[in-house]
Amino acid sequence: MNGPNHESLELFFQEASENLQYLREYSGLLQEPQTKPEDLEKLYIAAHSLAGTSASYGYPQFSEVAAKAAHVFHYAMNATLTPDMHGPLTEFISDAISVLEFDLLQFSAGGSETVEDIAAFKQRYAFAFPAAQGPVDEASPNVANEDTANPDAYQIPAFAERLPEDGEVPEEVLEFFIPEAEEHLQAVTECLLTLEAAPNAEEIHRLFRSMHTVKGSAAQVGLHRLSAVAHRVEDLIGQLRDGALQPSAEIVDICLESVDVLKKLLHRQWTNPTEMAAAIDPLLARISELVPEEAEGGAAETAVSGTETDAQEATTKAVAPRAASQALTQAKSVRISLERLDRMMNAVGELVINRTRMLGRLSELSKLVEVLTFSKGRLANKVSEFQEKHEFSRLHVGLVPGSQPPQMDTFGGSFKSKPTIMSNDLLEFSELEMDRYDDVNILSRSLTEISADVTEVLTQLESFMGRVDTDIDEFTKLAHHLQDEITAARMVPIGNLYTRLSRTVRDAVKASGKPVELVLEGAETELDNNIIQHISDPLIHLVRNAVAHGIESSELRQSAGKPDKGHIAVRAYHRGNHIFIEVEDDGRGIDYERVRQGVIQAGELSPVAAGELSERELREYLFRPGFSTAASMTELAGRGVGLDVVRSNVHALNGEIEVRSEVGHGACFTVKVPLTLIISQALFVRCGTSTFALPLAFVEEIRRLKPEEIEDVGGKLLTRVRGAVTEVVRLDLQLALPPLEPLNGYFHMVIVKVAGKHVGIVVEEVLGKDEIVIKNLGDYLRRVKLFPGTTIAPDGSLILLIDLNRLVSADTAERHALPSSSPAARVFAPGAEAVAAGSIPAEAVDAVANDRVVVVADDSISVRKFVGRMLEKAGYRVKLASDGLEASEIVAQVGCHLIITDLEMPRMNGYELLAHLRQTPATRRIPVLVVTSRAGAKHRERALKEGAAGFLTKPVQEDQLIATVTSLMEAAEERKSVLSPVRQN
């Protein structure tokens, strides 16, 4: 058989070098007490990949050493390393990496493996190579090499290689199978968590049925790998059901890990077979230790036969025993995708918009009716005046003796004159005895009839408007009913999320070693599935924080007179159009003095100013980005770390979060979110010619206010509401609108409750409330944080929805604190008072250079903050961007002196950003430094070709980064480049 070609070997050498570099840099995590399991798994995958690929390319010695290193990391993933193990294992890993690096260098240069060095390494660490002694002396070296050349020489069997291949599964089948499988896997998780707390036979049977259904259904649709793994897990659960094994923490751990693996197989999240094998092999190995396979090499046999049997069994069950019940189920229900429900809800939203437009048209018609009624009144008055002036006046004149010529029509000569010859019969009667009809009489009567006709038409029109109004009311009721029905279809019980919270608490308890009791209330409370998806991460963060830093250790709880086991309660309940979720613990509570010290240490406030902060103001600092009171960064993070993300996610749902805490008795976080996100109630207000919408859920009351009742105290507008001092925000000042004019001497003030405090928003007029459909502003206006969306007015114009949280906090634009090294800090530096007093001449003071602005563009928030802090420490002012498009916007708005960018980013990658900058003369000469994990020559050459001034590979060292940035800055100044204009904030 032909060996690998040169190109394949080059790829292997490059991959092996990268994996060894990764192991060299991060293997020190092994001896840290709070290492994340994900980090250990990445180390294991890197070492496991080295072992597998090197064996397949014919380097057995290299493979054996790498396999031992992989075993160490895998052991650390599933067991706790004692302190006396850290030293020897860390030394072993370090020496193993050195030996592997030298061995790789040797055979990549065309030589053979360094057998002597590896043998010396194995002899030094004989405890790791017990099988290396003995048989080697009796057999020849070639035989020994053949033994070590076996890829299965390391301890974990390659179960993944023996799994059957998946069949071709149509997308329409997966569309229905995946939600069903997720439901069963969630039921498995619920059963496992229940078994760990209180084992019972009923839960074991339910667990077995759920896993059996997953196995059979997966085999039926063609997901044979998933079915094979589920089959082995079912064997383990079967041992529990039969009583051969008893439920334990180890078995629950294995089953929960199996659920994670099955989910990844279900969603096909493995990037390559090696990564899949790194997760499946140790899992099936642990299951085999508890439930041995029936025969040698029976994994594949069992998997294949089990797959076929399960497919037949699932088919039989679907056809025979369940035929009647299945037909009944199909008649009663049908599965609808969330995307279709979203489209239906959007259609309901359009109905609401059209209903609002119809009301607007009806209002316009009502105004026309009022104008017509007024005109009809004028017409009736004129007819009455005409009759009095002409008809009755003629009667009065006719009674006077003597003959008079007939009166002419006052409307002109458009009528024929009266006949001059009258019948003798009529002359016998006076005007009181017989009516005389001339042109004036006819005109008068005609006008009276016209007025009566107009009155009748108006009456019919008003009746028609009443009927239309009734029809619109019925239309509104139907739209609301349809909205409620679709909303109910989207509603899912929050108990589905409780399963994840229970799993999170279990993992956090295991990591922290604190006994905790979790109480879940209101599992039947329902809310929109989209909201559950968005609120899950904030709740998981709050629960994890409660375990890690809310609940004290057992010793501290005993000394405080508390039960040994901590108590965490999660409650959900419905109130109005909102859902309230509380996360409460009975731990130590928020240490306000520690928060105060954190504010001082962060340089936010002076000690005097920090000492005057109230508890409510201190709680607000917990939600500041980057603020932390934790002594060290851990996976479980302290209170305050990440709470800014929690609040941002809640605010994105038009919700709010509040905190209450009592020192020594615990803390409670209350999250308030709406039932649905598409349709909501809003209050419309007007400022000048502009109309805005305020979320009605935040509005407490509306009142009038005289201008002189607003006082400016230290730059803040304040007033009194029922004796309480209330902060005031003038909407015209915040939005740079024309000044408000009081109506009849009064402003209108809308009092809202935001972040636990009442604030008055001064507007010119309150127009009323109504339902609105919130529309997104789109990507081009995504940086306008003050307006999260817009709605459509009846006349077709747009009404902006205001984010009250940002309005009240005056966070209408992104603001970042300048670093202490900023040139502005010289104004407050020692000796600045003498300069200000004139004791030091101005000529003796060095000129302060403008801030050097650096834009950092990376889609990883941790990389952005890490690199940004490095640069701020070096005296640069940093602007952060999540991708190339945002970086280009920042450069266009404020300019910069240098750009640091990653290559792989959404919307606009690094190459596209380089090309975009070169198109504009103002940005063409800005130096760009590429910092990426792509270390290949192809990426470097492409970046330099596009105009990059420098190229660094992650992980970048601080000294290297600062030196590169400094040299690029100096080179740009030496070339006397025309930098893009930089505006100082």
Side-chain angles (χ1 to χ4, degrees):
M1 182 175 66
N2 295 332
N5 56 34
H6 180 72
E7 184 177 356
S8 300
L9 282 175
E10 286 296 329
L11 291 175
F12 162 67
F13 295 155
Q14 181 178 352
E15 181 183 1
S17 177
E18 292 175 354
N19 284 328
L20 284 174
Q21 181 181 359
Y22 182 82
L23 292 174
R24 169 71 70 187
E25 292 177 356
Y26 296 103
S27 60
L29 294 172
L30 192 66
Q31 58 184 347
E32 295 184 7
Q34 296 293 339
T35 302
K36 297 181 181 179
E38 299 85 15
D39 294 337
L40 289 175
E41 184 179 7
K42 291 177 182 178
L43 291 168
Y44 166 71
I45 291 174
H48 186 83
S49 301
L50 284 173
T53 53
S54 59
S56 63
Y57 279 97
Y59 301 106
Q61 304 286 347
F62 187 100
S63 174
E64 185 179 15
V65 176
K68 294 299 180 181
H71 172 73
V72 172
F73 295 125
H74 186 255
Y75 182 90
M77 288 169 55
N78 301 285
T80 304
L81 299 180
T82 58
D84 56 339
M85 299 168 62
H86 288 160
L89 288 180
T90 303
E91 185 179 358
F92 169 78
I93 292 295
S94 178
D95 288 354
I97 294 173
S98 299
V99 168
L100 292 176
E101 287 176 338
F102 186 71
D103 194 26
L104 176 64
L105 186 64
Q106 285 293 108
F107 60 70
S108 64
S112 59
E113 291 193 83
T114 55
V115 180
E116 295 80 6
D117 291 345
I118 294 179
F121 171 78
K122 293 166 66 175
Q123 185 175 3
R124 181 180 180 186
Y125 298 99
F127 64 88
F129 300 91
Q133 309 297 329
V136 178
D137 297 331
E138 299 175 5
S140 65
N142 293 332
V143 175
N145 288 342
E146 288 177 4
D147 292 338
T148 57
N150 182 11
D152 294 334
Y154 49 96
Q155 298 177 1
I156 302 176
F159 290 99
E161 295 179 0
R162 290 181 277 169
L163 292 178
E165 293 292 331
D166 287 339
E168 293 292 332
V169 186
E171 289 296 330
E172 57 270 18
V173 175
L174 288 177
E175 182 179 353
F176 294 100
F177 172 72
I178 289 177
E180 179 186 359
E182 287 179 339
E183 291 176 4
H184 289 299
L185 291 176
Q186 181 175 347
V188 169
T189 304
E190 293 174 357
C191 293
L192 291 171
L193 296 174
T194 304
L195 279 179
E196 189 175 33
N200 61 82
E202 182 180 352
E203 289 297 330
I204 293 178
H205 284 294
R206 182 185 169 206
L207 176 64
F208 184 85
R209 287 195 302 270
S210 297
M211 188 58 69
H212 183 80
T213 304
V214 171
K215 176 195 71 172
S217 301
Q220 187 176 8
V221 302
L223 296 177
H224 302 302
R225 286 179 176 174
L226 190 153
S227 178
V229 175
H231 182 79
R232 291 297 293 145
V233 182
E234 183 191 19
D235 291 342
L236 176 60
I237 300 172
Q239 295 293 316
L240 291 176
R241 184 188 61 176
D242 299 338
L245 295 174
Q246 296 299 319
S248 64
E250 180 186 4
I251 292 179
V252 172
D253 284 339
I254 292 175
C255 292
L256 288 175
E257 184 180 347
S258 303
V259 171
D260 295 337
V261 169
L262 291 174
K263 286 183 178 179
K264 289 188 175 182
L265 285 171
L266 178 64
H267 296 284
R268 300 179 180 181
Q269 294 177 343
W270 307 112
T271 57
N272 54 67
T274 303
E275 185 180 350
M276 181 182 69
I280 292 180
D281 287 346
L283 171 64
L284 296 182
R286 294 174 67 188
I287 294 178
S288 297
E289 292 175 1
L290 297 172
V291 185
E293 295 174 336
E294 295 179 359
E296 189 70 24
E301 240 175 61
T302 304
V304 176
S305 63
T307 300
E308 296 173 354
T309 304
D310 296 335
Q312 296 173 1
E313 183 180 352
T315 305
T316 304
K317 287 187 176 182
V319 172
R322 296 185 183 176
S325 62
Q326 188 178 16
L328 183 63
T329 302
Q330 289 179 353
K332 284 187 175 181
S333 63
V334 63
R335 190 182 297 273
I336 300 177
S337 64
L338 282 176
E339 291 78 8
R340 178 168 295 180
L341 282 177
D342 285 337
R343 292 195 297 268
M344 294 171 65
M345 183 60 83
N346 287 329
V348 173
E350 295 300 326
L351 283 179
V352 173
I353 291 176
N354 288 329
R355 191 264 305 178
T356 305
R357 188 176 290 116
M358 289 168 62
L359 287 175
R361 299 291 183 265
L362 188 61
S363 177
E364 294 175 6
L365 186 59
S366 178
K367 292 178 181 178
L368 292 177
V369 169
E370 291 179 0
V371 174
L372 188 56
T373 302
F374 177 73
S375 300
K376 188 263 299 182
R378 291 181 58 196
L379 177 61
N381 292 335
K382 293 299 181 182
V383 170
S384 177
E385 291 177 5
F386 180 79
Q387 288 176 340
E388 291 178 358
K389 183 175 182 181
H390 296 282
E391 189 172 345
F392 297 115
S393 64
R394 287 181 57 79
L395 178 62
H396 180 71
V397 172
L399 294 177
V400 178
S403 74
Q404 299 246 353
Q407 300 234 351
M408 297 301 295
D409 187 3
T410 56
F411 288 95
S414 59
F415 296 95
K416 296 180 180 179
S417 61
K418 292 192 308 178
T420 56
I421 302 172
M422 304 182 82
S423 174
N424 292 329
D425 296 333
L426 294 179
L427 294 175
E428 297 177 3
F429 299 97
S430 67
E431 292 189 1
L432 290 178
E433 293 175 321
M434 178 67 71
D435 290 336
R436 302 289 190 267
Y437 292 99
D438 55 11
D439 291 342
V440 176
N441 296 119
I442 295 173
L443 175 61
S444 175
R445 290 176 181 272
S446 298
L447 291 177
T448 304
E449 291 175 1
I450 292 173
S451 177
D453 292 342
V454 171
T455 302
E456 184 179 356
V457 170
L458 275 175
T459 303
Q460 293 179 0
L461 186 57
E462 289 173 351
S463 175
F464 170 76
M465 288 177 56
R467 292 194 299 271
V468 172
D469 195 18
T470 303
D471 292 341
I472 291 178
D473 289 340
E474 291 298 324
F475 177 81
T476 303
K477 291 178 183 178
L478 289 175
H480 286 171
H481 180 68
L482 183 58
Q483 173 191 342
D484 293 341
E485 290 296 327
I486 297 178
T487 301
R490 294 178 55 86
M491 293 291 184
V492 293
I494 199 172
N496 295 342
L497 176 59
Y498 280 179
T499 304
R500 293 184 61 188
L501 296 181
S502 301
R503 175 80 181 271
T504 300
V505 171
R506 181 186 183 275
D507 295 342
V509 166
K510 187 177 179 181
S512 61
K514 303 174 185 176
V516 175
E517 176 188 10
L518 177 64
V519 177
L520 303 172
E521 301 177 7
E524 69 284 353
T525 304
E526 293 186 338
L527 69 162
D528 196 307
N529 184 70
N530 276 347
I531 295 182
I532 282 190
Q533 292 177 359
H534 287 87
I535 205 66
S536 58
D537 288 341
L539 289 181
I540 288 173
H541 187 91
L542 293 177
V543 170
R544 187 186 291 118
N545 274 357
V547 175
H549 297 286
I551 302 296
E552 312 96 322
S553 62
S554 299
E555 296 77 12
L556 292 177
R557 292 183 66 86
Q558 290 176 358
S559 61
K562 297 181 179 180
D564 292 345
K565 184 176 288 188
H567 180 85
I568 296 177
V570 180
R571 309 181 194 90
Y573 52 91
H574 178 273
R575 183 178 296 170
N577 291 325
H578 288 78
I579 295 293
F580 291 79
I581 306 171
E582 295 180 352
V583 179
E584 185 175 12
D585 64 73
D586 66 343
R588 60 172 61 93
I590 297 175
D591 189 346
Y592 291 107
E593 288 304 318
R594 191 169 183 178
V595 176
R596 200 185 309 274
Q597 292 302 318
V599 172
I600 297 173
Q601 293 174 4
E604 298 279 352
L605 294 174
S606 65
V608 176
E612 299 176 354
L613 293 176
S614 63
E615 291 185 354
R616 183 184 62 80
E617 292 171 331
L618 288 172
R619 287 196 297 268
E620 284 298 308
Y621 275 94
L622 295 176
F623 296 97
R624 296 288 183 90
F627 185 83
S628 173
T629 59
S632 61
M633 286 287 186
T634 65
E635 182 205 354
L636 299 180
R639 285 188 188 275
V641 179
L643 285 180
D644 61 318
V645 180
V646 172
R647 172 176 273 187
S648 298
N649 289 347
V650 173
H651 285 176
L653 298 173
N654 291 330
E656 54 183 324
I657 180 171
E658 295 182 358
V659 189
R660 66 177 188 272
S661 174
E662 186 177 354
V663 178
H665 293 82
C668 180
F669 289 78
T670 302
V671 178
K672 174 185 174 184
V673 293
L675 285 174
T676 182
L677 295 176
I678 298 178
I679 301 176
S680 63
Q681 295 280 339
L683 181 72
F684 296 102
V685 297
R686 183 177 62 83
C687 281
T689 59
S690 302
T691 302
F692 301 96
L694 308 178
L696 192 62
F698 292 86
V699 177
E700 296 282 325
E701 64 175 304
I702 303 170
R703 59 189 298 129
R704 295 196 305 170
L705 182 72
K706 292 182 178 180
E708 56 269 18
E709 294 178 356
I710 302 176
E711 300 181 12
D712 190 342
V713 180
K716 272 190 175 183
L717 299 180
L718 303 174
T719 188
R720 287 188 177 274
V721 178
R722 288 187 291 274
V725 177
T726 304
E727 184 179 347
V728 174
V729 175
R730 287 192 51 163
L731 200 57
D732 56 335
L733 298 180
Q734 287 291 328
L735 303 181
L737 298 173
L740 294 180
E741 295 294 337
L743 297 176
N744 299 324
Y746 287 91
F747 288 136
H748 284 84
M749 183 169 67
V750 180
I751 297 179
V752 298
K753 187 177 182 182
V754 179
K757 64 179 181 179
H758 288 88
V759 179
I761 300 177
V762 176
V763 298
E764 189 168 341
E765 185 182 3
V766 177
L767 302 177
K769 70 180 183 70
D770 199 356
E771 282 187 336
I772 64 170
V773 179
I774 303 174
K775 299 289 187 180
N776 200 329
L777 291 176
D779 287 340
Y780 290 106
L781 298 177
R782 72 187 184 282
R783 291 177 60 84
V784 185
K785 305 295 186 182
L786 184 61
F787 304 112
T790 183
T791 187
I792 302 175
D795 60 357
S797 62
L798 298 181
I799 299 177
L800 292 172
L801 180 68
I802 295 178
D803 186 341
L804 293 177
N805 291 286
R806 291 187 178 273
L807 179 70
V808 170
S809 62
D811 189 16
T812 56
E814 298 293 336
R815 294 185 175 91
H816 301 283
L818 289 176
S820 58
S821 58
S822 171
R826 293 185 57 175
V827 180
F828 307 97
E833 294 182 0
V835 176
S839 303
I840 300 178
E843 293 78 9
V845 180
D846 294 335
V848 179
N850 288 338
D851 286 350
R852 294 170 296 173
V853 180
V854 179
V855 174
V856 179
D858 199 298
D859 57 338
S860 170
I861 186 172
S862 57
V863 173
R864 291 200 303 269
K865 290 187 176 181
F866 183 68
V867 174
R869 287 172 182 170
M870 288 182 186
L871 296 169
E872 287 177 348
K873 284 169 56 179
Y876 297 100
R877 184 152 61 92
V878 180
K879 297 287 185 180
L880 302 180
S882 59
D883 52 37
L885 182 60
E886 188 174 356
S888 64
E889 292 175 354
I890 293 175
V891 172
Q893 291 173 4
V894 299
C896 69
H897 298 85
L898 177 74
I899 299 175
I900 298 178
T901 181
D902 190 12
L903 288 181
E904 298 170 297
M905 297 180 292
R907 297 195 300 176
M908 181 184 287
N909 59 37
Y911 296 129
E912 294 170 341
L913 175 61
L914 286 165
H916 175 74
L917 294 173
R918 298 301 167 251
Q919 293 176 359
T920 307
T923 60
R924 185 175 300 155
R925 298 185 180 277
I926 299 178
V928 179
L929 172 62
V930 174
V931 179
T932 179
S933 58
R934 296 295 183 181
K938 181 188 298 184
H939 293 89
R940 178 187 296 271
E941 293 172 0
R942 169 76 184 279
L944 297 177
K945 181 180 179 181
E946 293 289 346
F951 191 96
L952 296 178
T953 305
K954 296 178 184 176
V956 64
Q957 301 298 321
E958 183 173 0
D959 295 341
Q960 180 188 19
L961 176 68
I962 299 303
T964 305
V965 170
T966 303
S967 64
L968 292 178
M969 290 275 199
E970 291 176 351
E973 291 177 0
E974 289 176 0
R975 290 194 305 267
K976 297 181 179 180
S977 300
V978 180
L979 296 176
S980 88
V982 179
R983 296 194 295 271
Q984 299 296 316
N985 288 341

